[in-house]
Amino acid sequence: LTEELDALKAEIAEMQVQMKRAGEDREKQNKEFQMTVSDQRETQKLLHSALNFLKDFYEKKAAALLQKQEPAGPPPPAGFETYKNNAQSGGVMQLIEQIISDAKAMEAEAIRSEEDSQKAYEDFVKETNASIEAKSK
C-alpha cells in the first residue's frame, strides 16, 4: 500500500513538472507569436508608406509627361522598334502589394497557430489537473 501511495505521489509530482514545463514552453511560444505579429504589422505599415510614396511619385510623373515632348536626338535606326514597357512585368508597386499581402497572410497564420496552441495548452492543463485530482483521492 505504501508503495502504491509513493508511486501515485511520484506520478503527481511528474505531472506537475510536466505542467510547469508546458507553461514555460507556452510562454516562449507566446513571445515568439507576439514578435511575429509585431514584425508583420510593422512590415505592412512600412510597405504601405512606400507604396503611397511611389503612387504619388508616379502620378506626378504621369501628369508631367502628359505635356507633349519632342524626342531627343536622332530617330532610331531602321529595324529598331519603339520602346515599350514589358507588359508582363509586374512592376515594383505590384511587388510591394504582393509582399503586403504575404505579410497579412503570415500574420493571420500566426494568429491561427497561436489560438490552436493556446487551446491545446488549456486542454493539457485541464486534463492534467483532473488526473492529479483523481490520483490524489
Side-chain angles (χ1 to χ4, degrees), residues 13-84:
E14 178 61 28
M15 285 185 224
Q16 289 171 333
V17 167
Q18 288 177 0
M19 251 188 359
K20 183 179 178 192
R21 286 185 187 148
E24 292 167 354
D25 290 345
R26 187 71 201 102
E27 277 185 46
K28 289 177 189 174
Q29 289 173 344
N30 187 267
K31 284 180 184 176
E32 190 175 307
F33 161 75
Q34 296 292 340
M35 199 169 5
T36 300
V37 168
S38 174
D39 288 349
Q40 294 310 312
R41 288 181 179 165
E42 189 65 25
T43 298
Q44 292 171 44
K45 181 180 168 188
L46 289 171
L47 289 174
H48 275 295
S49 296
L51 189 61
N52 289 334
F53 178 82
L54 286 173
K55 283 180 181 176
D56 289 344
F57 175 79
Y58 284 119
E59 285 172 2
K60 287 177 187 174
K61 187 174 180 180
L65 289 177
L66 287 178
Q67 300 172 1
K68 187 71 174 158
Q69 293 181 350
E70 295 297 320
F80 280 76
E81 298 178 14
T82 58
Y83 176 78
K84 292 185 254 178

Side-chain angles (χ1 to χ4, degrees), residues 70-125:
E70 295 297 320
F80 280 76
E81 298 178 14
T82 58
Y83 176 78
K84 292 185 254 178
N85 284 333
N86 185 346
Q88 293 178 351
S89 72
V92 100
M93 290 175 49
Q94 287 179 338
L95 180 63
I96 291 174
E97 288 171 348
Q98 181 60 46
I99 295 171
I100 291 171
S101 174
D102 291 348
K104 286 179 182 178
M106 184 178 263
E107 177 186 349
E109 182 180 329
I111 290 170
R112 277 191 306 276
S113 177
E114 171 67 10
E115 289 169 352
D116 292 346
S117 295
Q118 183 64 30
K119 182 169 180 0
Y121 172 72
E122 289 171 359
D123 291 346
F124 172 75
V125 169

